[in-house]
């Protein structure tokens, strides 16, 4: 969606810019050091200073939130730190769940990949790498449950256990089926895999609802609607931006090689991907 943009320039001072937004939306000043607004009406500006920014979405605009937003100041410091650290990766994980994994459970050629996503990569001595499902879903759930007050921690643990059960069912449904492997596929396999995905969706949504309630940031973490013709529209997040984000991330990761694979999650949060690979900043991707 194109946003109306008006800028003023004073030669003897720093450039100033403002964005016209609908009356119901308040501007939120954030640093533009990592992102510059380029627009034909401000082509005469060589440098932008601070710009009130909003991120377009289906509802009009999403307010950028921080440690002082909602009920975050009332939560324990560890809970605030954990939430702000994991909210971006968690929403990205939900995007993967709806845009990628949902498609994969309907295609038996992808069942080998699903098995790899759920299975831990153990090495000798029990030292190994967590699976994608553990790294992106269950581990953040576990960390959030340990940092949140008891009234929320119990609900988070319930969601975590429910999600783990769903992933166990998904593994059972897809186990032993792999592209190029000649096996007879039972007619109940795909329905079982889809049912496990749905069970996981409900558990993940309950986790997000608990976090939204605890932080007082209503709907900040977008829940996944049930499957249907309008599912993506109801979800409100862009599959195009997701695909572009993942494509650039993968290219960047491949350039880094195996040496960077273990630290990739931290590199994503730290901004390495954005600065070195041109990947969309997580803040912008999150606040769609």
């Amino acid at each position: 969606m194109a946003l109306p943009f008006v800028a003023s320039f004073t030669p003897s001072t720093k450039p100033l810019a403002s964005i016209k937004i609908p009356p119901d939306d308040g501007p939120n000043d954030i640093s533009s050091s990592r992102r510059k607004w380029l627009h034909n009406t401000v082509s005469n500006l060589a440098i932008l200073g601070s710009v009130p920014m909003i991120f377009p979405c289906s509802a009009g605009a999403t307010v950028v939130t921080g440690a002082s937003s909602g009920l975050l100041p009332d939560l324990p410091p560890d809970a605030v730190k954990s939430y702000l650290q994991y909210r971006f990766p968690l929403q990205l994980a939900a995007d993967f769940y709806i845009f990628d994994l949902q498609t994969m459970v309907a295609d038996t050629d992808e069942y080998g990949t699903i098995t790899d996503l759920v299975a831990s990569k153990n090495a000798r001595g029990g030292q190994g790498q967590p699976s994608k499902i553990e790294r992106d879903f269950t581990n953040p759930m576990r960390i959030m449950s340990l940092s949140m007050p008891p009234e929320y921690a119990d609900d988070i643990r319930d969601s975590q256990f429910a999600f783990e059960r769903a992933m166990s069912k998904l593994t059972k449904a897809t186990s032993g089926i792999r592209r190029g492997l000649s096996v007879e596929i039972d007619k109940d396999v795909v329905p079982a895999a889809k049912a496990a995905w749905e069970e996981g969706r409900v558990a993940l949504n309950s986790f997000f609802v608990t976090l939204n309630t605890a932080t007082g940031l209503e709907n900040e973490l977008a829940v996944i609607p049930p499957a249907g013709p309008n599912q993506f529209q109801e979800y409100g997040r862009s599959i195009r931006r997701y695909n572009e984000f993942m494509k650039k991330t993968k290219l960047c990761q491949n350039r880094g090689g195996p040496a960077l694979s273990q630290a990739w999650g931290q590199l994503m949060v730290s901004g390495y991907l954005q600065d070195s690979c041109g990947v969309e900043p997580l803040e912008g991707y999150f606040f769609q």
Side-chain angles (χ1 to χ4, degrees):
M1 177 186 298
L3 296 176
F5 190 99
V6 177
S8 60
F9 177 69
T10 305
S12 61
T13 62
K14 294 181 179 180
L16 300 176
S18 62
I19 297 176
K20 290 183 178 180
I21 58 177
D24 291 339
D25 295 302
N28 295 270
D29 295 330
I30 64 174
S31 172
S32 61
S33 61
R34 293 172 60 190
R35 175 181 292 185
K36 293 180 181 180
W37 283 78
L38 300 181
H39 194 281
N40 58 0
T41 60
V42 288
S43 58
N44 62 320
L45 298 180
I47 300 175
L48 272 174
S50 295
V51 184
M53 296 176 67
I54 57 176
F55 298 89
C57 69
S58 59
T62 299
V63 176
V64 179
T65 58
S68 61
S69 303
L71 300 177
L72 284 173
D74 300 330
L75 294 175
D78 285 348
V80 177
K81 179 181 178 181
S82 296
Y83 176 75
L84 294 179
Q85 177 181 351
Y86 284 104
R87 61 177 178 171
F88 298 163
L90 279 170
Q91 191 66 70
L92 181 60
D95 290 348
F96 163 79
Y97 200 87
I98 182 175
F99 295 140
D100 281 345
L101 187 58
Q102 180 177 212
T103 302
M104 293 164 68
V105 299
D107 183 359
T108 56
D109 282 345
E110 297 290 344
Y111 280 14
T113 303
I114 293 176
T115 300
D116 294 339
L117 292 174
V118 179
S120 299
K121 300 175 182 177
N122 293 321
R124 265 186 289 179
Q127 299 298 317
Q129 293 300 310
S131 69
K132 177 178 177 61
I133 296 298
E134 290 171 334
R135 183 181 66 247
D136 294 353
F137 295 90
T138 58
N139 285 349
M141 288 179 178
R142 187 177 299 112
I143 291 170
M144 292 305 307
S145 70
L146 293 173
S147 62
M148 281 288 177
E151 60 268 28
Y152 302 115
D154 290 343
D155 290 339
I156 291 175
R157 275 192 292 269
D158 289 343
S159 298
Q160 175 196 331
F161 297 154
F163 187 82
E164 289 174 340
R165 287 193 298 270
M167 293 301 98
S168 178
K169 293 178 181 179
L170 181 60
T171 303
K172 182 178 180 180
T174 60
S175 180
I177 303 173
R178 192 174 290 270
R179 181 183 302 173
L181 190 62
S182 180
V183 295
E184 184 177 351
I185 301 176
D186 190 274
K187 62 181 178 62
D188 294 329
V189 163
V190 172
K194 288 183 176 181
W197 182 92
E198 172 62 16
E199 190 174 321
R201 179 191 73 85
V202 172
L204 183 61
N205 282 354
S206 70
F207 171 54
F208 279 12
V209 169
T210 300
L211 287 184
N212 288 341
T213 301
T215 60
L217 302 174
E218 184 178 2
N219 299 325
E220 173 154 281
L221 292 172
V223 298
I224 301 174
N230 299 320
Q231 183 190 41
F232 287 3
Q233 181 179 356
E234 292 171 2
Y235 186 47
R237 294 180 59 80
S238 170
I239 187 173
R240 179 191 59 79
R241 288 177 68 172
Y242 169 75
N243 288 334
E244 184 69 16
F245 185 92
M246 297 307 296
K247 177 182 177 181
K248 289 186 177 180
T249 299
K250 187 65 175 178
L251 289 173
C252 188
Q253 188 174 9
N254 289 341
R255 286 212 306 263
L260 290 180
S261 61
Q262 295 185 12
W264 204 251
Q266 184 58 40
L267 290 174
M268 180 179 289
V269 175
S270 70
Y272 173 87
L273 301 185
Q274 293 75 23
D275 297 337
S276 302
C277 302
V279 178
E280 180 179 9
L282 279 174
E283 295 92 333
Y285 181 80
F286 178 74
F287 293 109
Q288 292 186 29

